[in-house]
Amino acid sequence: MNKTLILVVEDDTPVHNLITTTLKTHDYKYISAKNGAGAIMEASTHNPDIVLLDLGLPDIDGVEVIENIRSWSNMPIIVISARSEDSDKIEALDAGADDYLTKPFSVEELLARLRVTQRRLSQMQSENGVQSAVFENGALRIEYAAGCAYLDGEELHLTPIEYKLLCLLSQNVGKVLTHTFITQKIWGSSWENDIASLRVFMATLRKKLEKNGDQTQYIQTHIGVGYRMLRVE
């Protein structure tokens, strides 16, 4: 089955069914939301690879959803909307959408847009070293197969949770990961005490990455949102 996870945000049932049936037929995994609030929740919880977003949602405008997601993630967003004016397209693209598909659309065009986006994702992942057995970022080196991490050639003595956090951040370098996404990946839940534990583990991990007095910042905090590993030259 295709490993790409797609979030479908569409409140019109016939259109929603057309999109999800198409995805299912072509072996895509998908999750759904019928309004803007649900879209933001699903995006932050599941961190989908691609978002298919209608602009005319019942609670908030789709452009606001784009702006919200863009405040913490670079996940590709393809707008699917009946709004065909250039001004609407420009507004959505300026807000951070990656592509714009006007209703009515053909199944073939939708699949073509998804393939283009997938190729771009694969290229980005390859450039970021996600598909490599070794990750290098500045003085940091992670050997995934061996389960070891090094800083300036010296092995970092990390707890299992610290190592899992470091790997998760490195495999999404440059991308803000929300508290909910991280805690779901690490602990399988997202209770308040999980988020409190995350802050503690992140603080200890930071100290170990900065143990040599180097001012290099590997992990950036987005207050109230989550964390991101920065690319270090």
Side-chain angles (χ1 to χ4, degrees):
M1 188 174 186
N2 197 314
K3 293 183 179 180
T4 304
L5 177 63
I6 299 176
L7 169 59
V8 180
V9 187
E10 175 62 69
D11 66 318
D12 185 289
T13 300
V15 177
H16 175 272
N17 291 344
L18 171 64
I19 294 172
T20 55
T21 299
T22 299
L23 295 177
K24 187 174 182 180
T25 301
H26 291 82
D27 293 326
Y28 284 97
K29 295 187 296 181
Y30 67 87
I31 52 178
S32 300
K34 294 294 184 75
N35 56 43
I40 294 167
M41 177 62 71
E42 293 293 335
S44 64
T45 301
H46 297 285
N47 213 37
D49 297 295
I50 302 172
V51 179
L52 297 179
L53 174 69
D54 181 25
L55 294 183
L57 300 173
D59 53 350
I60 58 177
D61 191 84
V63 172
E64 292 184 48
V65 176
I66 297 171
E67 291 171 342
N68 183 289
I69 292 176
R70 279 292 168 266
S71 70
W72 51 268
S73 174
N74 289 321
M75 64 178 66
I77 300 173
I78 301 175
V79 168
I80 300 179
S81 177
R83 301 177 190 174
S84 58
E85 295 294 326
D86 286 348
S87 58
D88 294 315
K89 296 179 183 179
I90 291 169
E91 183 182 19
L93 294 170
D94 281 347
D98 295 86
D99 203 349
Y100 198 105
L101 191 58
T102 304
K103 298 178 185 177
F105 57 89
S106 68
V107 167
E108 289 74 19
E109 185 177 8
L110 172 61
L111 291 171
R113 300 293 181 96
L114 288 173
R115 287 193 296 270
V116 169
T117 304
Q118 282 180 284
R119 284 197 293 271
R120 188 166 63 82
L121 276 174
S122 296
Q123 183 179 3
M124 288 169 59
Q125 289 173 341
S126 179
E127 289 173 353
N128 289 338
V130 174
Q131 296 172 339
S132 172
V134 176
F135 172 83
E136 292 186 334
N137 188 17
L140 176 65
R141 176 183 174 90
I142 305 172
E143 297 181 2
Y144 296 124
C148 298
Y150 303 85
L151 189 68
D152 287 324
E154 295 184 15
E155 184 173 358
L156 289 168
H157 298 288
L158 305 175
T159 67
I161 294 292
E162 289 170 348
Y163 180 74
K164 287 175 70 175
L165 284 170
L166 185 62
C167 288
L168 183 61
L169 289 165
S170 68
Q171 289 164 355
N172 294 276
V173 66
K175 189 174 184 178
V176 178
L177 303 182
T178 65
H179 296 133
T180 300
F181 178 76
I182 297 173
T183 54
Q184 286 283 354
K185 287 289 186 182
I186 302 299
W187 290 287
S189 59
S190 191
W191 301 106
E192 191 64 36
N193 60 333
D194 293 328
I195 295 175
S197 297
L198 173 61
R199 292 193 184 98
V200 173
F201 281 110
M202 202 62 78
T204 58
L205 176 59
R206 266 210 180 98
K207 285 182 180 178
K208 292 178 181 181
L209 290 174
E210 299 167 2
K211 65 178 182 178
N212 295 331
D214 188 354
Q215 297 301 309
T216 302
Q217 183 184 14
Y218 287 97
I219 301 173
Q220 182 181 61
T221 299
H222 289 254
I223 298 173
V225 177
Y227 301 91
R228 169 170 58 180
M229 175 170 283
L230 300 173
R231 174 62 72 180
V232 177
E233 296 300 329

